[in-house]
Amino acid sequence: MSTVLYSGDERLANRPEKDQEGERAPYISPDIGLSDLWYFAMPSRKLKRGKLLAKRMFDLHLVFGRDSEGRPFAMQNSCRHQAMPLSLGRFDGKRLECPNHGWLYDTDGQCVSIPCLSEKQPQDISRIRIKSFPCRDVQGNVWIYAGRPSDDIPDPPRLPEVEAKHLRVDGMMRFACGMDRATLGLIDPAHGPYVHTSWLRRSDRDRREKEKRFVPSHLGFTMARHSTKTAQALWFMPKSMEIEVSFQLPGVHFECVRAGKHVFTGMITATPLTANETQVNYNLYWTIPWLAPAQPVVALLMHNFFAQDQHAMAGLSTFATERTPPLTLVGDPDQQAVWYFKLKQEYLRAKKEGRPFENPVQETVLRWRT
Ligand code: FES
Ligand SMILES: [Fe+2]
């Protein structure tokens, strides 16, 4: 006897989900984010072995978990039978049990048992599958891939030269805006003196000319390595340092400061929760063990810094309407924002046309005053 699948009023009998959606169809809504890329989900410590965690992401309700062997996984938090959230059911480290009628799923979202079916009425349940999302632990964080599970997905982004064991400060904030606006905040060289008022603002008289060389890099661009004085304002930072800053789609920003044989690296990521809410995570690692006492101070500074960005976005959401005029991006201070939109456009076009991505960023020197 065959299985009949329904989706709302529409009967989708005997067709696997792959055929219903089409191989090229975006895995998540294009209004929310780009498909087939890695997004930061959460610090690894938040996902305990054998436990489930419900979380809104990509405008979907997801359930995250970690199996009995320590592998993270995620799938839609909705039983294929009658949509009961699986996060409310039991999990034995291998299988998730729906709390409503006990359908069992493995951690790939495949239905493996419908206990109430009579043995005299066998059903083919191999087609019953929940939309799942590959997950990986990298450097102490869980990343989620917004694409179909397969054997040849790329590795998640990875900060150079640090590991989970290194000293670290991390935090998470929710910004009241969509993915684009949150991401623009990560690559905006000009908002510092206005948004980060308490410790970066200079008077117009103090404003300095900046000149930085940018080169194209993987799915984005990089501000080429140069010596920095900004970080030296912190008393515990060494006096001779070089910095390299990069950005890649969908919203991953790296800053790598090298001081002799040691590194301080920072990663800021944007992950869409809904069309109007974005999760921003920051992670700072460093390799100098004797700087451990600075950890609480750095945590406080980082929190205050990102709270200022969060506050700015809250202001934007309060006054944004559908009649808000389009953005006016002007000159070099806004060039990174222009690149971001061009990168997205090219990414979507390349996907649609089934061809390799061609980075639209050209090597150039950008100038601005802050
Ligand atoms: S709703 Fe999940 S088993 Fe019925
Ligand atoms: Fe900022």
Side-chain angles (χ1 to χ4, degrees), residues 176-222:
C177 62
M179 178 74 182
D180 285 345
R181 293 310 303 265
T183 306
L184 293 194
L186 310 186
I187 51 177
D188 185 343
H191 81 207
Y194 298 92
V195 172
H196 304 293
T197 48
S198 58
W199 54 309
L200 277 181
R201 181 155 196 163
R202 298 191 185 108
S203 71
D204 279 352
R205 206 183 40 194
D206 293 338
R207 205 159 286 225
R208 286 198 290 262
E209 290 280 338
K210 299 274 175 65
E211 188 176 290
K212 310 287 183 202
R213 188 167 66 88
F214 285 77
V215 294
S217 50
H218 176 64
L219 290 174
F221 49 86
T222 295

Side-chain angles (χ1 to χ4, degrees), residues 70-136:
R71 285 185 297 250
F73 62 88
M75 66 185 80
Q76 253 187 295
N77 192 10
S78 178
C79 177
R80 286 301 302 269
H81 182 213
Q82 292 179 16
M84 187 61 82
L86 294 174
S87 60
L88 301 180
R90 289 189 295 196
F91 176 49
D92 65 2
K94 284 192 170 62
R95 293 173 172 193
L96 296 86
E97 183 188 73
C98 178
N100 215 16
H101 310 95
W103 286 25
L104 281 175
Y105 298 89
D106 68 17
T107 55
D108 293 328
Q110 173 66 53
C111 182
V112 292
S113 171
I114 299 181
C116 57
L117 283 177
S118 163
E119 285 180 4
K120 296 193 175 119
Q121 294 180 323
Q123 297 275 345
D124 175 12
I125 60 171
S126 66
R127 295 166 194 271
I128 302 176
R129 172 179 277 277
I130 295 175
K131 184 170 190 161
S132 66
F133 295 80
C135 289
R136 283 206 206 140

Side-chain angles (χ1 to χ4, degrees), residues 317-338:
S317 75
T318 304
F319 292 97
T321 69
E322 286 179 1
R323 291 174 188 275
T324 301
L327 309 183
T328 306
L329 301 173
V330 179
D332 282 9
D334 286 336
Q335 185 58 50
Q336 294 177 65
V338 171

